[in-house]
Amino acid sequence: MTMSGGGGRDSESAIDNELAYLRNRVKELEAENAKLLSQVSSCQCQQMEVPVLDSGNFVRRSRRGRKRVDKSIPIHLISKRYVALKIMYFGKRFYGFSAEAQMEPSIESEIFKALERTRLLVGDIKESNYSRCGRTDKGVSSTGQVIALFVRSRLKTPSIVSEINARPEYDYVRVLNRALPDDIRVLGWSPVPDDFHARFSCSAREYKYFFWRQNLNLSAMDIAGKKFIGEHDFRNFCKMDVANVHCYTRRVTFFEVSPCQNSHEGDQLCTFTMRGSAFLWHQVRAMVAVLFMIGQGVESVDVIDTLLDTKKTPKKPQYLLASEIPLVLRTCEFENVNFICSSGALESLRSHFKKESLTYQLESVIFQEALRNCLPIGNDEISCNIDEKKKKAAIHVPLLSRPTEPSYEERSAKLKPRQEETCPV
């Protein structure tokens, strides 16, 4: 439909006037912005700096590696809020969650790189009041890790009691996920009070450990696993850190062995699920290792009672931990913390997880194809393999007959002289 006569000329004139006004307004804003930048650059107060991870510590550097200060906005003028972030990660390629071990890559370092790229981090690591719920080891994954820290906010006076959906806050989930690698994702965020601590405010943690059933006795493992429920001294089911941990009593509130929906060539995928207020270093993997021995029939169910009785068994028998890859920190639970995720960010998460799942299934198909293309095994080789398995079962040394590790008291006594040597006179 076309316009004719004076009406068309009036419309064109109105558009030209509007464009002229906008051009003038843009020039005014540019001049005002230049004036403000000049004032800020001459300000002598504390300036906002961009922290990145360097040798386990967060320092301020430019993209080229030179130390620099971003003088655009003083820190005290930046609006920020204290939030908890719920994190998922696939741990296979990482050297654990924590960046303090100075082994790269770590999940924590990748998260802080994303916070830096998105300019959500205000100040340095100390100023952010950062805390984490769990410090998972190399190769361990999580679908519910939680961290807490101060991040930049759009709100001038953020409040945890304000109606979040009614305010134009940053979509933290979507913003961070765009800057994170494919095997790390933020699942949600929640405003929390300033005295919140991701580790000490956690009321419960739940782990899952996946495994193929094969010939394992699930009933025996379930009976044995339920002996962990309650408050016990787990020093025989962990890696002792006597320099930092002096109490090895922990409370397990739930244990279950259950089959999953997945199966492969007639073998059922199963899982151990265990929940407790807190867990020791390598505790879950140690518990699973002993449960596997029970499931294989080479250890009695009663061995759990014996190992939990630290008066009867003060020293831990030497045994290998279960593999770290199938272990997942499923969830960390808190009171009055409700995680938020926008509909757009949720849709992106679902699409991403579906894509990643299909990718890993394709990789699995390639390995299955390689398996089918292997040369056939002759009858002699089959009988040799059977004999090898029988030998391995026959040479199993009972846990209570194995060499033991030093007791807590022995480790502590050995540590004291070292501490005295390092203490200044």
Side-chain angles (χ1 to χ4, degrees):
M1 183 175 181
T2 60
M3 299 182 67
S4 62
R9 287 191 294 273
D10 291 342
S11 177
E12 291 175 1
S13 177
I15 293 174
D16 290 339
N17 290 337
E18 183 69 18
L19 287 173
Y21 168 78
L22 290 174
R23 290 192 188 98
N24 291 332
R25 184 58 181 152
V26 167
K27 291 179 180 179
E28 291 174 359
L29 290 172
E30 287 176 345
E32 185 177 348
N33 186 48
K35 182 179 178 181
L36 289 171
L37 286 175
S38 176
Q39 292 175 353
V40 170
S41 63
S42 62
C43 179
Q44 299 301 315
C45 56
Q46 185 182 15
Q47 303 292 322
M48 182 182 75
E49 302 177 21
V50 179
V52 294
L53 192 66
D54 182 17
S55 299
N57 299 311
F58 292 95
V59 299
R60 302 161 178 87
R61 295 184 182 275
S62 66
R63 289 186 178 179
R64 294 184 179 179
R66 299 175 183 173
K67 293 183 180 180
R68 69 175 176 87
V69 176
D70 184 351
K71 296 183 178 181
S72 57
I73 307 176
I75 285 181
H76 71 279
L77 295 181
I78 298 174
S79 180
K80 62 182 181 180
R81 73 185 312 163
Y82 201 50
V83 303
L85 299 175
K86 187 176 182 179
I87 311 290
M88 171 273 166
Y89 48 87
F90 187 68
K92 186 175 181 180
R93 76 178 180 94
F94 295 104
Y95 287 93
F97 184 83
S98 174
E100 293 172 358
Q102 300 183 15
M103 296 287 287
E104 292 298 329
S106 69
I107 295 101
E108 203 168 58
S109 64
E110 293 294 336
I111 292 171
F112 272 91
K113 287 176 185 176
L115 287 164
E116 175 215 345
R117 291 190 196 105
T118 56
R119 294 294 189 265
L120 288 176
L121 189 63
V122 181
D124 59 22
I125 183 68
K126 292 181 180 178
E127 292 169 319
S128 71
N129 197 24
Y130 172 74
S131 63
R132 57 176 174 256
C133 184
R135 185 175 173 175
T136 54
D137 297 319
K138 178 180 181 292
V140 177
S141 301
S142 176
T143 58
Q145 173 73 279
V146 173
I147 64 173
L149 75 168
F150 279 105
V151 293
R152 189 188 296 261
S153 173
R154 277 180 175 164
L155 312 183
K156 291 184 178 180
T157 55
S159 171
I160 65 171
V161 297
S162 62
E163 290 293 332
I164 301 302
N165 294 331
R167 293 180 178 272
E169 184 56 279
Y170 290 116
D171 190 341
Y172 295 116
V173 176
R174 171 169 281 189
V175 170
L176 283 169
N177 284 342
R178 287 174 176 172
L180 285 166
D182 288 340
D183 43 9
I184 303 177
R185 279 295 179 270
V186 177
L187 303 181
W189 73 276
S190 174
V192 290
D194 290 357
D195 61 353
F196 176 87
H197 194 284
R199 178 185 175 189
F200 299 117
S201 299
C202 182
S203 59
R205 297 163 174 85
E206 182 175 292
Y207 283 90
K208 279 183 174 288
Y209 192 97
F210 295 93
F211 63 95
W212 294 105
R213 179 170 183 172
Q214 298 178 333
N215 295 320
L216 294 171
N217 186 335
L218 295 187
S219 177
M221 290 193 296
D222 187 58
I223 293 170
K226 284 183 166 49
K227 292 178 178 290
F228 290 126
I229 296 176
E231 192 170 88
H232 303 284
D233 189 323
F234 284 94
R235 68 183 63 194
N236 289 327
F237 291 94
C238 72
K239 184 174 181 179
M240 278 194 279
D241 178 14
V242 296
N244 300 301
V245 180
H246 307 293
C247 177
Y248 291 85
T249 299
R250 296 293 185 271
R251 177 178 291 277
V252 174
T253 58
F254 178 83
F255 179 91
E256 182 180 65
V257 182
S258 58
C260 301
Q261 295 180 347
N262 309 65
S263 61
H264 177 67
E265 295 184 353
D267 198 358
Q268 183 73 44
L269 184 68
C270 301
T271 180
F272 296 118
T273 302
M274 45 195 96
R275 187 182 304 122
S277 55
F279 290 86
L280 297 161
W281 189 11
H282 290 171
Q283 180 181 337
V284 175
R285 291 171 60 194
M287 292 163 65
V288 170
V290 177
L291 289 174
F292 279 160
M293 296 180 201
I294 294 169
Q296 293 164 0
V298 295
E299 290 289 346
S300 166
V301 170
D302 297 331
V303 76
I304 301 295
D305 296 313
T306 305
L307 292 173
L308 288 175
D309 187 348
T310 56
K311 291 183 178 179
K312 186 177 181 180
T313 315
K315 297 183 180 182
K316 176 188 174 185
Q318 295 178 0
Y319 58 88
L320 295 176
L321 296 171
S323 171
E324 70 277 7
I325 299 300
L327 179 58
V328 180
L329 173 58
R330 181 181 173 274
T331 185
C332 303
E333 299 175 7
F334 301 86
E335 293 183 4
N336 303 318
V337 175
N338 299 306
F339 289 99
I340 303 162
C341 183
S342 69
S343 57
L346 181 58
E347 185 61 31
S348 296
L349 279 170
R350 287 174 174 167
S351 176
H352 175 77
F353 289 145
K354 183 178 180 180
K355 177 184 174 183
E356 290 297 299
S357 176
L358 291 174
T359 299
Y360 281 103
Q361 288 182 51
L362 284 174
E363 292 180 2
S364 174
V365 169
I366 294 171
F367 281 108
Q368 291 174 38
E369 187 66 22
L371 183 62
R372 284 191 288 269
N373 287 338
C374 285
L375 294 175
I377 299 176
N379 291 332
D380 293 340
E381 293 181 33
I382 292 174
S383 61
C384 288
N385 289 337
I386 293 173
D387 291 339
E388 284 295 323
K389 290 180 180 178
K390 288 181 178 179
K391 287 180 181 179
K392 287 181 179 179
I395 62 174
H396 173 81
V397 178
L399 280 173
L400 301 179
S401 300
R402 296 186 182 189
T404 57
E405 298 180 2
S407 66
Y408 171 78
E409 291 75 19
E410 290 171 342
R411 292 175 187 267
S412 298
K414 191 175 181 180
L415 184 66
K416 284 181 181 179
R418 294 180 184 177
Q419 292 177 335
E420 291 173 357
E421 289 175 8
T422 57
C423 288
V425 179

